[in-house]
Amino acid sequence: MKNRVRVLLIPLYFLITSTVVGREHNPYYNITPSAKNIGNAYIAGFDSSSSSVFSNPASAKFTKFSSSAFYTDIMNSEHKIIFFSSGYKVLGTIFTVGFFQSYIENIYKTIITPSGEIGIQGQFNYYDQVIKIGVQKTLTDYFSFGFSYDFFEKRIDTVKGNGTSATIGVVFNPSSTLDVSGYIRNVIPTQLIYGNKKENIKPYVYLNIKKIWGANEIYFEIAKASHLMSQPTRSASFSRIFGPLKLISLSIGYREFSVGNKKRSGFTYGSSVHLFGFNLHYSLEKSDYVQNTTKHYVSFDFKL
């Protein structure tokens, strides 16, 4: 069993730590598809609901049906972000579909007037949206495979770009207390096309580990962006479920990441209520926005 773990971890480690030249189309703006993920230091590689279509499509795990929804905003409601997904299990295979949209409305166009002053010349809108279609198959008792295909579109004023991409993922369960998740976004050659201009998009690689210890769960993640000078993002979190009915869970996470050339770090906190397949998630973290230094998130998912 240990050899099986090594076979999966070694190639993923080299993929993550190697430098990849190019740009990765990551429209999620460092926001994961669930408040639960944010409370777990943004670790999303073990989503068992339909929201797995946004991260590792191999991690979907439900009997009949699943749905999820998440809405949030940035900069005091100026920048709005929406995630929605649903999934069905048919003849042992899980099919999922997801929709993501990020948009800002009524952005002022500015110009330099002849007198050298800054003037306003109308307004414009910005949006970035992705439609994802995923499939998951459990191949053995300890190995699952997933694949999703993405259709994305970006518009800034009158400039519009679109393209397609794909994500592949695996989940390896060497024991009942250890899970390993790995997935690669933009695994096929991908381009974002603006009219007659094309922009190459390169992969983004994630490796996640989950250790279960009684009512406790410990998560680790390392992710490597495709930008030439980017540093890996490292995350860790601790979660505990309470009570004989396992209705409430609490989590705390810590992550190190980069914004441009600056290294950042911070803690996240989360809680969830679990009742008859319905899960309500809440999380919070410190925000850099000066008018609101604490950011709150709420999402839900449902599984049958």
Side-chain angles (χ1 to χ4, degrees):
M1 191 63 68
K2 291 182 179 179
N3 290 333
R4 291 174 182 168
V5 177
R6 294 191 188 104
V7 167
L8 180 63
L9 292 182
I10 291 173
L12 283 172
Y13 172 81
F14 282 108
L15 277 170
I16 292 172
T17 54
S18 62
T19 299
V20 184
V21 179
R23 178 184 181 276
E24 188 267 342
H25 180 71
N26 182 18
Y28 305 148
Y29 300 100
N30 225 9
I31 296 292
T32 62
S34 169
K36 177 184 177 181
N37 305 144
I38 296 175
N40 278 324
Y42 285 74
I43 298 172
F46 297 103
D47 279 350
S48 58
S49 73
S50 58
S51 64
S52 61
V53 72
F54 294 108
S55 51
N56 186 353
S59 64
K61 190 176 182 180
F62 48 87
T63 304
K64 296 180 180 179
F65 169 77
S66 176
S67 182
S68 71
F70 180 31
Y71 168 84
T72 189
D73 58 73
I74 302 174
M75 298 290 290
N76 200 23
S77 299
E78 296 294 334
H79 188 170
K80 299 176 176 63
I81 296 174
I82 300 169
F83 287 92
F84 177 78
S85 69
S86 63
Y88 295 87
K89 189 171 186 178
V90 181
L91 299 176
T93 302
I94 293 177
F95 298 92
T96 52
V97 60
F99 173 77
F100 163 85
Q101 186 177 69
S102 166
Y103 62 96
I104 307 174
E105 297 177 325
N106 302 321
I107 305 171
Y108 287 113
K109 293 182 180 180
T110 57
I111 60 171
I112 303 297
T113 65
S115 62
E117 298 179 345
I118 298 177
I120 296 176
Q121 190 182 48
Q123 297 177 325
F124 69 96
N125 299 328
Y126 160 87
Y127 77 82
D128 197 348
Q129 66 182 26
V130 182
I131 297 175
K132 297 175 71 73
I133 299 173
V135 60
Q136 185 270 1
K137 184 68 175 178
T138 300
L139 301 177
T140 70
D141 291 340
Y142 60 87
F143 186 79
S144 300
F145 174 81
F147 174 85
S148 68
Y149 198 76
D150 315 338
F151 304 87
F152 51 85
E153 182 177 287
K154 178 180 290 186
R155 183 189 292 271
I156 304 174
D157 198 8
T158 60
V159 179
K160 180 180 178 180
N162 55 69
T164 60
S165 182
T167 299
I168 61 169
V170 296
V171 174
F172 183 53
N173 314 105
S175 73
S176 60
T177 61
L178 178 65
D179 295 335
V180 180
S181 165
Y183 58 105
I184 308 174
R185 284 182 177 154
N186 305 319
V187 69
I188 60 176
T190 306
Q191 292 180 329
L192 185 61
I193 302 172
Y194 298 91
N196 58 356
K197 296 183 179 180
K198 298 180 180 180
E199 181 179 6
N200 292 324
I201 300 171
K202 298 297 182 179
Y204 201 125
V205 188
Y206 298 79
L207 175 62
N208 307 266
I209 297 174
K210 178 173 75 172
K211 177 64 177 176
I212 302 172
W213 177 36
N216 307 304
E217 295 179 346
I218 302 173
Y219 297 83
F220 300 96
E221 178 182 87
I222 181 170
K224 181 66 173 67
S226 58
H227 304 287
L228 180 61
M229 301 303 294
S230 68
Q231 298 295 320
T233 297
R234 300 177 178 87
S235 305
S237 70
F238 173 82
S239 177
R240 180 177 176 85
I241 194 163
F242 293 88
L245 299 179
K246 300 182 178 180
L247 298 180
I248 299 175
S249 59
L250 301 176
S251 64
I252 180 172
Y254 175 80
R255 65 182 185 131
E256 297 177 347
F257 59 102
S258 299
V259 178
N261 295 324
K262 295 182 179 180
K263 293 184 178 181
R264 307 293 296 276
S265 63
F267 287 92
T268 64
Y269 310 90
S271 63
S272 299
V273 177
H274 316 280
L275 188 64
F276 303 115
F278 181 85
N279 303 290
L280 180 65
H281 309 292
Y282 166 78
S283 63
L284 71 135
E285 65 175 344
K286 184 179 178 181
S287 171
D288 291 330
Y289 186 49
V290 294
Q291 296 185 17
N292 189 358
T293 58
T294 302
K295 183 61 181 171
H296 305 267
Y297 306 92
V298 177
S299 70
F300 82 89
D301 62 71
F302 179 75
K303 296 187 297 180
L304 282 178

